[in-house]
Amino acid sequence: MAEQSEDQAEEALEPAPRRRRLGWRLGAVAAILLAAILTYAWVSRKELAQDLITRELDKMGLNARYRIEEIGPRRQVISHIVIGDPAHPDLTIERVEMQLVVRFPFPGIGQLTVVKPRLYGSYHQGKLSFGSLDKMLFGQPSTQPFRMPDMVLSLQDGRALMETDYGPVGIKAQGYGHLRDGFDGILAATAPALGAQGCRAEKATLYGSLHIRAERPGFTGPLRLASLACPDAGLALRDVGLQLDVEAERTLDGVEGDVGFKTGPAALAANRLASLSGTSRIDWRKGAFTAKYGVTGKGLETPQLAMASLGLEGAVRSRENFARMEVEADVKGQKIRPGPALDRTLRSAAQSASGTLAGPMLEQIRSALLREGQGSSLTATATLRKTGATYSLVVPQARLNGTSGQALLALSRFQMALGEGAPRFTGNFATG
């Protein structure tokens, strides 16, 4: 009986080693299958990647041609990319290289290198279009606030051509750095001629530096025009320059910064200006615009008035996309004298009244204005308000002093309203 019990015990112990051997064999088979799958995936990685890229492009409705150069666990390279009609493509890229990084829960792009992209677009009747790319760029709007991609971008020799209702515009851009903090590059644009609503700008150029700091894109550089002419309005400007130093909000729904400007000779109908310059600090977001400004004009000549210099300082505030606006100004002028038309009128009136009491009086007025204007000065404060189609001008005080120091004209509590009906004036004035 004892021997029988021992035999039964030995038989009971045998299944455990067998189970272990079976489990080892199954694990070995699974490892071999996994290795085979990984080997197949590695050998066929280009074909698999091409199938995946093709499916994704089909989902976006893009007709694209490309060549897969390299597919690896951390580096992927695609070249000879053509999107759209090959005869007239919307986008071509010589080479794209992606460096992948491990992120939770899925891998992400750590660095994207784009070599010689060429983008073609249009702007007609107020609509921006990039052909077959429109569905991807302007498709279903996102409900999430815009954020710059979390990656490093290396953009090499990027160019674009925009065909617009106003004329063609060529653009060039390149740069390197993290798109949320640390990107630096350049942006340049040129338009040989731009025209709209009877106006024409010649040789427009933009060149400056791009940067992104704390997810806020910025631009610093000049915008220049060789000339701007609007013959129907009698407007002509030469050597126009804007110096921009601006930053956008991280959500791209606002901009702030400094703007400086300077022009050469300017004309508006019969009015002339030797030069105009100034600076402004602007803040524009969500339909509201605010600016502090300082403007100086030199060599102002009008038919009725001439002035050696005119300076304006103040602030501009607007709401509802300029439906409501208020402009405050402190005005200073130097060497104000009669313009040629007013001087001819006074001289003609004096000659016509020769031999009467009015003749000598008119001649004295003309001589006094010319004499007092040589060293005259103007100071004033004014506020212009616009609400819809109604305008109002308020001048709390204004004073024109002649060379002798005498007040030639003084205004106080002056108001003017323009809108429906005839203009309305109120206020006090005195002359010397």
Side-chain angles (χ1 to χ4, degrees), residues 47-299:
E47 290 78 6
L48 294 174
Q50 185 164 353
D51 291 342
L52 177 61
I53 294 171
T54 300
R55 286 197 300 270
E56 292 301 318
L57 291 173
D58 289 342
K59 288 181 182 178
M60 293 185 288
L62 293 178
N63 176 27
R65 295 183 179 185
Y66 54 91
R67 180 186 300 171
I68 296 178
E69 300 285 350
E70 180 181 341
I71 297 294
R74 291 188 175 274
R75 184 171 181 265
Q76 302 179 2
V77 180
I78 303 174
S79 67
H80 299 82
I81 301 170
V82 178
I83 295 179
D85 182 359
H88 302 283
D90 302 311
L91 173 66
T92 65
I93 306 176
E94 183 176 291
R95 179 183 176 92
V96 172
E97 179 179 329
M98 291 176 285
Q99 300 285 348
L100 303 182
V101 295
V102 178
R103 291 177 182 161
F104 181 81
F106 303 107
I109 300 176
Q111 177 171 324
L112 180 66
T113 301
V114 184
V115 180
K116 292 186 177 180
R118 301 292 185 261
L119 179 64
Y120 303 90
S122 64
Y123 186 79
H124 296 302
Q125 298 181 351
K127 183 180 179 181
L128 180 65
S129 175
F130 296 98
S132 59
L133 295 169
D134 289 354
K135 184 177 180 181
M136 181 184 68
L137 297 174
F138 312 125
Q140 187 67 25
S142 174
T143 58
Q144 300 297 322
F146 174 81
R147 288 197 74 183
M148 288 290 181
D150 184 13
M151 67 179 183
V152 173
L153 173 65
S154 175
L155 177 62
Q156 301 177 17
D157 190 17
R159 301 190 186 190
L161 176 62
M162 298 295 300
E163 297 288 349
T164 76
D165 292 330
Y166 317 112
V169 179
I171 303 170
K172 180 177 180 179
Q174 63 185 44
Y176 175 85
H178 201 287
L179 289 178
R180 291 190 176 175
D181 192 4
F183 182 85
D184 289 288
I186 62 169
L187 174 66
T190 181
L194 296 173
Q197 298 180 348
C199 295
R200 184 176 178 85
E202 299 284 349
K203 298 180 180 178
T205 61
L206 174 72
Y207 181 84
S209 62
L210 286 171
H211 64 268
I212 300 177
R213 301 292 182 268
E215 300 190 51
R216 300 186 63 182
F219 176 82
T220 302
L223 169 65
R224 296 190 176 97
L225 297 175
S227 64
L228 174 64
C230 303
D232 294 342
L235 174 65
L237 293 173
R238 288 170 48 194
D239 302 326
V240 182
L242 292 177
Q243 180 64 36
L244 306 174
D245 187 0
V246 295
E247 275 193 345
E249 290 295 315
R250 57 184 294 180
T251 53
L252 303 185
D253 59 355
V255 64
E256 65 178 1
D258 297 309
V259 178
F261 63 92
K262 186 176 182 180
T263 75
L268 178 61
N271 308 301
R272 300 289 184 270
L273 193 63
S275 66
L276 183 67
S277 61
T279 59
S280 179
R281 176 71 183 178
I282 65 170
D283 189 323
W284 190 6
R285 66 194 70 205
K286 296 181 180 179
F289 177 80
T290 303
K292 293 183 178 180
Y293 69 90
V295 180
T296 301
K298 300 286 188 179

Side-chain angles (χ1 to χ4, degrees), residues 313-432:
E313 289 187 3
V316 179
R317 289 178 288 274
S318 77
R319 299 293 182 269
E320 302 171 10
N321 293 317
F322 295 95
R324 294 189 298 125
M325 184 170 64
E326 180 178 275
V327 181
E328 297 177 353
D330 290 330
V331 184
K332 292 184 178 180
Q334 299 293 327
K335 297 183 179 180
I336 301 98
R337 58 195 185 279
L342 178 58
D343 184 62
R344 286 195 300 268
T345 299
L346 290 174
R347 183 173 55 187
S348 176
Q351 292 174 349
S352 299
S354 177
T356 68
L357 182 62
M361 291 180 59
L362 290 171
E363 186 58 38
Q364 288 182 5
I365 292 174
R366 175 176 174 269
S367 299
L369 289 174
L370 292 173
R371 182 178 63 253
E372 292 288 338
Q374 295 301 315
S376 61
S377 62
L378 170 69
T379 59
T381 59
T383 301
L384 175 66
R385 294 185 178 92
K386 171 185 177 290
T387 303
T390 302
Y391 294 82
S392 66
L393 175 66
V394 178
V395 182
Q397 63 84 25
R399 187 179 182 90
L400 174 61
N401 290 334
T403 304
S404 63
Q406 182 181 4
L408 304 181
L409 176 66
L411 295 179
S412 63
R413 290 181 287 183
F414 175 83
Q415 296 186 42
M416 179 178 66
L418 298 173
E420 296 182 359
R424 299 184 301 275
F425 302 87
T426 61
N428 304 317
F429 74 94
T431 65

